[in-house]
Amino acid sequence: MMVYRSFIVGLVLLASGCDQNMKNLIGLGSNSSLTCTIKSTKSGDNQYLVTFIFTNTTNEPVRFLKWHTPFEGWWSQFLHVEQSGVELLYQGPMAKRAKPTEHDYIELAAHEHRSITLNLLNAYDVALSSPTTITLSSELSHPDSPNIDCSMILVRQ
Amino acid sequence: MKRRLLISALSSAIFVANTASAAQVSAQINFLSSLLTTEGDIHVELVLTNHDNSPVKVLKWYTAADGVQGNIFNITRDGEPVEYTGALYKRTAPSENDYQMLKPGQSINYSIELSSLYNFALPGEYRVQYQANSLHLFKAPQNEHMQSLKNNAVPFAYSALRSTAISTWVTGDPIAETIAANSTVTYNTQTLATSYTSCSNTQKNTINSAWSSAKNMSASATGYLSSRSTTQLKTAPRYKTWFGDPSIRVGAFWSPKAHERVEENFSDITDAIKNKPLSFDCGCTSSGTFAYVYPNQPYKVYFCGAFWNASRTGTDSQAGTIIHEVSHFNAVAGTDDHAYGHYGAKNLAISNVRKAIENADSYEYFAENTPQQN
């Protein structure tokens, strides 16, 4: 159904306020206090390394579910990756999970940041030489999912 | 000149050291039960014993220290070789951590389930022998320095370790390698050939039963949708619970209504379950995961730990998991995971119909219909 995604995005304004409800649902937790940054990292052959950094901007610890975030690696489609205006097909796995356990959570102390570097080539057929737009936004509807949204145009290093 | 002499002296010393350790380690295998059938699993015990006066290190890759990681058995059924279907690893040279120490006189026992590694789905007389061959099989601790020299420069000893062969009968019916199609329709059975990787006899039988339940469940979901109009679905609790308002357009105003897209997807899911060539991998053991697929690689399903503990039908069941996974394939319905669990899926139906109709769990729960709704 990804073909329809651009239609859907374009028509959000026409929708009957659905997306607004959705945002309220996920934002209930303490996780709106996280920010994310994406940057390109020096890559070797057969690599397109991208680093994701989550920062706790508050004075309190923040705990979030790492499902559908870069911190669990390629187990879901948590990114939108675009080159030359075309959204690339996610080629990694999608997993059906049981209930989350303690192991599925990450806690960041006040003002702590945590980063992880992933090889984009393990999940997308990216052309190495052209700029890549990477968007990370929480789309998993789970009360403990982090409410994050960041987008960056990257050039492979 | 002097250096060359030294190397050749070393090389013969290494050769002796290697063959000596090889001769001093024995391997023995036994079946752990005597009545074996295609309904059950095939357990053997492998015992490695060091008969030498000094410790010997054995490369774990050829033992079962971390599970069987390669083709270390010669197996025949009625004289015909049985293929290894377990995992194969691409390796670099072994490091110290890859060796298992056997002290003088020490034995190590490994319990191994063979039907997930070799095809035991057919009845017959099976002959099983453990056989490991490798350049790096043994490492005598005192010769480590020379071993590393050996790898670079000098002639090597190729070590082998084998047990005597043991035989047994496996009785019972062959496990279907093709999943039988609905008897009222004729399908080309060639396309239904099923392949299994790392699945034991018990797992193959479980998958076959679950697949058959999934087929019925998906067909009945398709039937429910095709026999109801938009107006009827608007007040149908089963539909509304999982997919919300059926009349919303999936795109712009000329595009199909949500329930039409759901019906189309269910019909594709049912078709895939019935008619597509399937392959199953049982190598994933994660207890927090039911299964996974690569959406662009139809029709291979990887089953994980939580799948084997699930019930056959009902909420988060084995049959439902199959529907969930098959719906992910881009060639089928191309669903995503926007929410997991009953709670998340129900919320999605209320808050965002467009996401609900592309959410894999929503398809699964609609098909499972537990508790039952009309």
Side-chain angles (χ1 to χ4, degrees):
Chain A
M1 290 307 103
M2 270 175 304
V3 189
Y4 297 93
R5 198 184 296 282
S6 51
F7 274 102
I8 293 166
V9 170
L11 287 159
V12 158
L13 291 177
L14 292 175
S16 53
C18 291
D19 279 43
Q20 194 51 48
N21 292 340
M22 177 79 182
K23 280 238 156 56
N24 290 339
L25 188 79
I26 326 177
L28 281 177
S30 57
N31 295 327
S32 47
S33 39
L34 284 174
T35 60
C36 61
T37 326
I38 308 172
K39 60 180 198 187
S40 180
T41 299
K42 184 122 187 76
S43 306
D45 291 345
N46 293 317
Q47 283 185 329
Y48 192 129
L49 298 183
V50 176
T51 301
F52 300 88
I53 306 154
F54 280 29
T55 307
N56 175 4
T57 55
T58 70
N59 296 321
E60 305 286 330
V62 169
R63 187 168 169 273
F64 64 92
L65 183 62
K66 67 179 178 185
W67 292 357
H68 292 238
T69 77
F71 294 99
E72 67 160 5
W74 304 114
W75 282 106
S76 67
Q77 181 177 260
F78 56 85
L79 289 181
H80 293 294
V81 179
E82 252 183 56
Q83 283 190 316
S84 315
V86 178
E87 175 148 9
L88 303 185
L89 185 69
Y90 172 65
Q91 305 196 343
M94 287 182 184
K96 173 172 166 65
R97 300 97 185 310
K99 288 205 164 58
T101 63
E102 203 39 50
H103 185 71
D104 296 313
Y105 285 86
I106 289 181
E107 187 168 309
L108 293 183
H111 301 290
E112 187 188 351
H113 59 82
R114 175 105 31 120
S115 70
I116 187 162
T117 301
L118 298 177
N119 185 359
L120 212 53
L121 293 184
N122 288 340
Y124 292 92
D125 194 5
V126 194
L128 297 184
S129 51
S130 61
T132 314
T133 307
I134 295 183
T135 307
L136 173 63
S137 63
S138 54
E139 291 190 11
L140 179 64
S141 169
H142 190 287
D144 300 333
S145 278
N147 190 2
I148 38 150
D149 198 345
C150 52
S151 187
M152 197 64 74
I153 300 172
L154 299 181
V155 176
R156 179 174 174 268
Q157 292 190 19
Chain B
M1 195 60 204
K2 220 171 175 180
R3 178 181 289 172
R4 213 157 131 191
L5 270 175
L6 179 64
I7 289 174
S8 103
L10 274 176
S11 98
S12 55
I14 292 156
F15 189 78
V16 171
N18 263 286
T19 48
S21 12
Q24 297 305 323
V25 176
S26 70
Q28 198 192 339
I29 50 171
N30 308 294
F31 288 108
L32 289 177
S33 64
S34 49
L35 294 171
L36 300 174
T37 74
T38 53
E39 299 274 294
D41 296 342
I42 314 290
H43 294 279
V44 294
E45 177 188 52
L46 166 66
V47 186
L48 301 181
T49 307
N50 177 14
H51 301 279
D52 203 359
N53 295 325
S54 52
V56 171
K57 289 178 175 177
V58 185
L59 189 53
K60 286 185 198 166
W61 306 346
Y62 298 95
T63 70
D66 302 313
V68 172
Q69 303 193 332
N71 185 7
I72 55 170
F73 291 94
N74 281 329
I75 300 186
T76 58
R77 184 190 59 251
D78 302 330
E80 295 294 318
V82 174
E83 196 191 349
Y84 174 69
T85 56
L88 290 169
Y89 290 73
K90 181 174 157 56
R91 309 277 197 185
T92 54
S95 70
E96 193 54 39
N97 290 338
D98 295 318
Y99 284 89
Q100 164 84 56
M101 168 80 87
L102 277 172
K103 288 181 248 169
Q106 188 187 3
S107 290
I108 296 188
N109 298 28
Y110 302 99
S111 180
I112 298 165
E113 201 290 299
L114 285 178
S115 70
S116 56
L117 304 164
Y118 298 86
N119 187 7
F120 276 81
L122 299 172
E125 187 187 16
Y126 286 81
R127 189 174 170 277
V128 178
Q129 180 189 32
Y130 167 80
Q131 179 166 26
N133 297 304
S134 171
L135 268 180
H136 308 288
L137 186 57
F138 296 109
K139 189 175 194 180
Q142 66 272 32
N143 290 330
E144 273 170 27
H145 172 64
M146 293 192 283
Q147 282 272 339
S148 64
L149 244 179
K150 181 199 76 173
N151 290 341
N152 296 332
V154 293
F156 50 79
Y158 196 79
S159 311
L161 177 60
R162 60 179 74 89
S163 70
T164 52
I166 54 172
S167 292
T168 187
W169 283 91
V170 174
T171 58
D173 295 328
I175 300 178
E177 293 287 311
T178 60
I179 290 179
N182 188 328
S183 57
T184 58
V185 190
T186 315
Y187 296 107
N188 175 4
T189 49
Q190 285 308 104
T191 64
L192 290 170
T194 306
S195 75
Y196 303 95
T197 306
S198 306
C199 301
S200 69
N201 278 359
T202 316
Q203 290 172 326
K204 287 176 189 173
N205 286 313
T206 301
I207 294 169
N208 285 3
S209 310
W211 205 265
S212 164
S213 303
K215 198 161 54 186
N216 295 337
M217 218 182 241
S218 184
S220 109
T222 312
Y224 174 99
L225 293 161
S226 60
S227 62
R228 284 169 174 78
S229 67
T230 311
T231 323
Q232 285 172 315
L233 289 172
K234 267 193 177 221
T235 54
R238 178 178 176 186
Y239 183 90
K240 275 175 43 194
T241 302
W242 304 115
F243 296 115
D245 184 347
S247 64
I248 287 178
R249 300 278 172 184
V250 298
F253 62 86
W254 62 86
S255 65
K257 288 177 190 159
H259 78 91
E260 291 165 348
R261 172 58 44 75
V262 173
E263 183 185 332
E264 182 190 317
N265 283 342
F266 257 114
S267 139
D268 291 343
I269 294 167
T270 308
D271 175 63
I273 294 175
K274 278 183 172 172
N275 304 328
K276 300 299 183 192
L278 313 161
S279 64
F280 306 114
D281 189 305
C282 305
C284 164
T285 53
S286 161
S287 61
T289 309
F290 287 92
Y292 65 91
V293 297
Y294 291 82
N296 66 330
Q297 294 172 25
Y299 298 91
K300 178 155 194 169
V301 182
Y302 298 79
F303 293 111
C304 302
F307 179 82
W308 309 110
N309 297 327
S311 55
R312 177 67 37 80
T313 56
T315 302
D316 288 318
S317 60
Q318 292 169 344
T321 298
I322 288 169
I323 289 171
H324 176 117
E325 296 307 330
V326 169
S327 80
H328 275 321
F329 293 123
N330 297 327
V332 179
T335 60
D336 200 338
D337 292 310
H338 294 306
Y340 295 105
H342 266 204
Y343 177 80
K346 282 177 183 170
N347 270 329
L348 217 51
I350 297 164
S351 65
N352 195 327
V353 166
R354 290 188 181 87
K355 285 218 155 99
I357 66 167
E358 56 171 45
N359 184 47
D361 260 356
S362 305
Y363 285 83
E364 172 176 346
Y365 297 144
F366 177 83
E368 288 170 345
N369 193 22
T370 308
Q372 203 183 334
Q373 297 183 100
N374 289 317

